[in-house]
Amino acid sequence: MQKTNLLYEGKAKKVYQSDNPDIYIVSYKDDATAFNGLKKGTIMGKGEINNRVTNFLMQLLEKNAIPTHFVKELNARETAVKRVKIIPLEVIVRNIAAGSLAKRVGVPEGTKLFSTVLEYCYKNDELGDPMVNEYHIAALKWATKEEMKLIAQYSLKINDILTDYLSKSNITLIDFKLEFGKLDDGTVILADEISPDTCRFWDSTTNEKLDKDRFRRDLGGVEDAYHEILKRLLGQ
Ligand code: TMP
């Protein structure tokens, strides 16, 4: 499989067309941003780690009946994925209050949530990815009610699969962000990435943060945290 045109360059990934019209090639960058691009930096080795971790978790999900865009890992930082039209939503799943939720409702980070929280944000950097609800999503035709029902079902099932799997590596899945896309025939599948950039991973014993919050909050040890996740999940 060969890359052809660069189709899109995002903050953390580039997406290329390939010689197969139904396949895109994603290339993960070491660039890191936070706060809608206001904070910029580099996390050495991040591209390769996020590529490997994402592919590992996408394959775990496929084995558990979640359809994903994963096709084949091509090399350390590049992966072939199915061509989809991205639904312009960030689906956030929360098990424990942290980050923007802790701030919004005024509870300490680490506060137990008695049930799983699903949130939707409209993917738009200029607007700061504003939170929206299912009425907005239907009214603006970003997705149908039926598609959103499926997306919610998949997201909760993904949460169960990942929470259970990560707990075996002594990692608590605090929260994470998913993106879904549609194939030409309308099938909704999981797209984008699942990595320390898009999840909060805390060591289950010490509550040490093993994710991008170390970069966002200048906590130090950013590269080490990414390497630790790679090691715990893939033994590398
Ligand atoms: P938040 O608490 O800042 O809203 O983040 C919730 C989860 O979503 C957290 O695991 C980090 C992830 N996330 C992204 O993947 N991309 C983003 O742009 C933001 C703001 C959060």
Side-chain angles (χ1 to χ4, degrees):
M1 217 165 304
Q2 287 296 324
K3 284 184 290 199
T4 54
N5 297 324
L6 176 66
L7 201 65
Y8 167 81
E9 178 157 4
K11 289 174 295 201
K13 298 187 283 300
K14 292 181 194 173
V15 181
Y16 295 88
Q17 287 176 315
S18 77
D19 44 16
N20 178 335
D22 295 324
I23 302 289
Y24 285 163
I25 295 175
V26 177
S27 179
Y28 287 76
K29 306 195 287 187
D30 286 349
D31 299 352
T33 66
F35 315 115
N36 298 313
L38 283 179
K39 181 181 171 109
K40 290 192 174 71
T42 301
I43 301 175
M44 286 291 288
K46 173 170 91 82
E48 296 191 2
I49 292 173
N50 284 0
N51 185 40
R52 293 220 166 96
V53 167
T54 294
N55 293 342
F56 178 78
L57 295 175
M58 290 273 180
Q59 288 173 90
L60 171 74
L61 294 174
E62 285 277 359
K63 277 184 222 144
N64 285 278
I66 302 289
T68 80
H69 72 168
F70 176 79
V71 176
K72 187 172 188 271
E73 189 167 291
L74 300 175
N75 58 54
R77 65 172 75 232
E78 293 181 332
T79 294
V81 298
K82 292 179 187 163
R83 174 174 56 83
V84 292
K85 198 159 183 272
I86 290 285
I87 296 169
L89 295 174
E90 299 198 340
V91 178
I92 298 181
V93 185
R94 301 182 184 272
N95 297 308
I96 290 174
S100 69
L101 175 65
K103 228 182 225 167
R104 190 176 340 122
V105 300
V107 297
E109 278 210 310
T111 300
K112 180 183 162 80
L113 297 170
F114 288 95
S115 53
T116 306
V117 172
L118 274 190
E119 293 172 359
Y120 305 111
C121 295
Y122 173 45
K123 249 175 87 72
N124 184 316
D125 271 347
E126 274 159 43
L127 301 176
D129 298 340
M131 198 191 290
V132 292
N133 65 31
E134 292 186 61
Y135 289 91
H136 300 116
I137 295 167
L140 290 153
K141 292 216 167 183
W142 292 327
T144 65
K145 288 229 163 86
E146 292 70 34
E147 286 164 354
M148 288 314 293
K149 196 170 158 198
L150 194 57
I151 285 173
Q153 274 171 9
Y154 283 154
S155 299
L156 294 175
K157 186 164 174 203
I158 290 167
N159 185 39
D160 288 343
I161 297 163
L162 295 181
T163 297
D164 180 59
Y165 192 84
L166 291 161
S167 71
K168 294 177 196 152
S169 302
N170 209 40
I171 298 166
T172 304
L173 182 60
I174 303 296
D175 57 32
F176 58 101
K177 185 265 296 181
L178 300 172
E179 294 182 27
F180 293 85
K182 277 186 351 178
L183 297 171
D184 284 348
D185 68 2
T187 309
V188 173
I189 65 176
L190 180 67
D192 196 53
E193 65 179 281
I194 307 175
S195 72
D197 270 18
T198 63
C199 302
R200 287 197 171 92
F201 295 135
W202 291 7
D203 179 275
S204 304
T205 310
T206 64
N207 282 346
E208 186 191 358
K209 297 184 199 313
L210 299 172
D211 57 58
K212 193 176 164 192
D213 270 349
R214 303 204 73 85
F215 169 79
R216 295 188 187 98
R217 303 177 187 191
D218 297 320
L219 299 177
V222 183
E223 279 88 0
D224 286 350
Y226 279 72
H227 279 286
E228 181 64 23
I229 291 297
L230 181 70
K231 193 171 95 191
R232 288 199 200 180
L233 292 184
L234 283 95
Q236 291 170 6

